[in-house]
Amino acid sequence: MIKNLLSLNDLTKDELISLLDFAENFIDADGKFKKDNLFPDKTIANIFFEPSTRTKCSFDIAGKNLGCSVVDFNSENSSVSKGESIYQTVDALSLMGVDLCVLRHPNSVISELAEYLPEMVFINAGEGSTAHPTQTLIDLMTIRQLKGSIDNLKITIVGDLDHSRVVKSFVEGVSNFSIESLTFSGHPSMCSNYMDPVIGSYEPNLDIAVTDADVVMALRIQHERFETDMSLDLDEYKHLYQLTTERISMAKGDAIIMHPGPVNMDIEISETAYQSENSVIRNQVANGVAMRMAVLARFLSQ
Ligand code: CP
């Protein structure tokens, strides 16, 4: 049993499925999140070195729903701004009694931190362009709720794949299942790592990529991670790669439309597609609380 959740590759298929099952237990018959005072003696810290709404707030709510004390660590107002290293920062939090750190960082630091501070439990809440494991757990939970199973599905992912930690973790997670197909699509300059993928295939024509799909996931252009200005022709981008209701109609009638958020509305997805009955984007946000309750409960119980 692993101590930290750094990558979905660290979980066995059984462990991953048990987290999907466990998360459902935190939703009551009315669709509300259960509040159980399971961990009144535990303290978690939300340490975010990048902006976040969904991940940070859902971990905050999840921790409080489980009876934990939750430290909202504000990196900009902390002693990090005076030059203190992240190692000393997390060590200080550990000495103050923090049991588990939920950490988002633009660089790959969490594995080293976990080695430096073996007593601390770490949950990766989004690390650079490399991993966002809890987002994929939410996405798999949402797919399973809506489609009944993750097996035998045709899945298409479109957008800025090269900068996406969501797609990296999704590939790790979905590799545990017998999906029918995984198709990557998007502007070639944003999909260079997915032209010849380990699983699945690249299809530059989004109309072809979405045809008969069961699941279509759109990802935002991550302007903040571009090292050079792409001089993107936004109108052309939208014409070729925007998920619209016309394109959704090419997928299966009961296809689900996903997006991890935040959405650049009317860029990677049209507002009508976002609001269509196929869209489960708001389900993904809501499932964030239940899944993060499951993750916290699992990793605090060791
Ligand atoms: N999906 C996701 O990580 O959203 P936030 O950046 O709002 O946390």
Side-chain angles (χ1 to χ4, degrees):
M1 194 164 109
I2 55 165
K3 180 177 146 288
N4 306 300
L5 182 55
L6 307 184
S7 154
L8 284 188
N9 279 341
D10 298 337
L11 293 177
T12 64
K13 179 176 180 179
D14 285 348
E15 286 172 327
L16 191 154
I17 289 174
S18 76
L19 277 172
L20 300 183
D21 293 339
F22 193 28
E24 300 291 349
N25 293 325
F26 292 108
I27 304 173
D28 72 17
D30 297 325
K32 294 209 161 51
F33 306 115
K34 292 181 188 164
K35 295 188 187 192
D36 289 320
N37 199 30
L38 296 173
F39 299 97
D41 56 344
K42 296 288 186 185
T43 301
I44 70 166
N46 270 331
I47 307 173
F48 280 61
F49 286 87
E50 285 187 339
S52 170
T53 297
R54 290 151 197 76
T55 313
K56 189 172 185 191
C57 296
S58 59
F59 267 116
D60 186 283
I61 293 165
K64 288 171 182 163
N65 284 353
L66 293 168
C68 302
S69 300
V70 181
V71 176
D72 180 9
F73 178 85
N74 184 330
S75 59
E76 285 174 13
N77 291 339
S78 75
S79 290
V80 171
S81 65
K82 298 181 223 166
E84 186 167 44
S85 76
I86 189 168
Y87 298 93
Q88 299 308 316
T89 302
V90 177
D91 188 40
L93 291 169
S94 173
L95 292 167
M96 289 180 230
V98 169
D99 301 288
L100 179 151
C101 288
V102 175
L103 183 59
R104 172 172 289 192
H105 201 279
N107 303 316
S108 297
V109 297
I110 309 180
S111 294
E112 274 188 38
L113 264 173
E115 278 180 35
Y116 182 78
L117 291 163
E119 327 74 47
M120 181 61 77
V121 178
F122 290 93
I123 305 296
N124 181 345
E127 190 175 45
S129 297
T130 60
H132 196 352
T134 60
Q135 181 64 50
T136 292
L137 291 170
I138 292 162
D139 296 344
L140 295 177
M141 177 183 179
T142 308
I143 292 171
R144 207 175 67 154
Q145 284 173 344
L146 275 300
K147 308 304 291 179
S149 165
I150 298 156
D151 292 322
N152 304 315
L153 295 178
K154 291 182 79 167
I155 302 175
T156 297
I157 307 180
V158 55
D160 177 6
L161 306 185
D162 285 343
H163 292 109
S164 176
R165 53 194 173 209
V166 170
V167 73
K168 283 213 179 73
S169 285
F170 189 82
V171 169
E172 291 175 9
V174 90
S175 301
N176 289 288
F177 300 91
S178 302
I179 52 169
E180 186 176 332
S181 65
L182 180 60
T183 305
F184 302 101
S185 189
H187 195 292
S189 68
M190 298 178 191
C191 299
S192 59
N193 299 325
Y194 292 86
M195 297 283 166
D196 188 18
V198 177
I199 64 164
S201 58
Y202 173 69
E203 171 50 67
N205 184 325
L206 183 56
D207 293 349
I208 296 173
V210 299
T211 296
D212 288 334
D214 297 288
V215 176
V216 183
M217 184 186 295
L219 300 173
R220 83 183 168 93
I221 303 175
Q222 300 194 30
H223 294 284
E224 72 275 22
R225 297 194 201 281
F226 283 94
E227 286 167 13
T228 53
D229 180 16
M230 277 194 65
S231 304
L232 194 67
D233 180 335
L234 215 47
D235 286 334
E236 186 193 46
Y237 184 88
K238 292 193 304 193
H239 175 65
L240 292 174
Y241 302 111
Q242 186 181 80
L243 205 51
T244 58
T245 48
E246 291 74 24
R247 288 198 164 110
I248 292 171
S249 70
M250 297 173 193
K252 290 201 178 119
D254 61 353
I256 58 170
I257 306 305
M258 307 182 78
H259 191 307
V263 170
N264 291 315
M265 196 64 81
D266 283 324
I267 305 286
E268 65 265 3
I269 185 166
S270 71
E271 189 158 359
T272 46
Y274 176 90
Q275 289 175 346
S276 73
E277 60 182 17
N278 300 73
S279 171
V280 299
I281 296 168
R282 295 175 71 249
N283 303 50
Q284 290 172 269
V285 179
N287 280 335
V289 173
M291 180 49 75
R292 283 161 180 145
M293 287 178 76
V295 167
L296 289 176
R298 151 72 176 79
F299 285 86
L300 285 169
S301 305
Q302 51 188 346

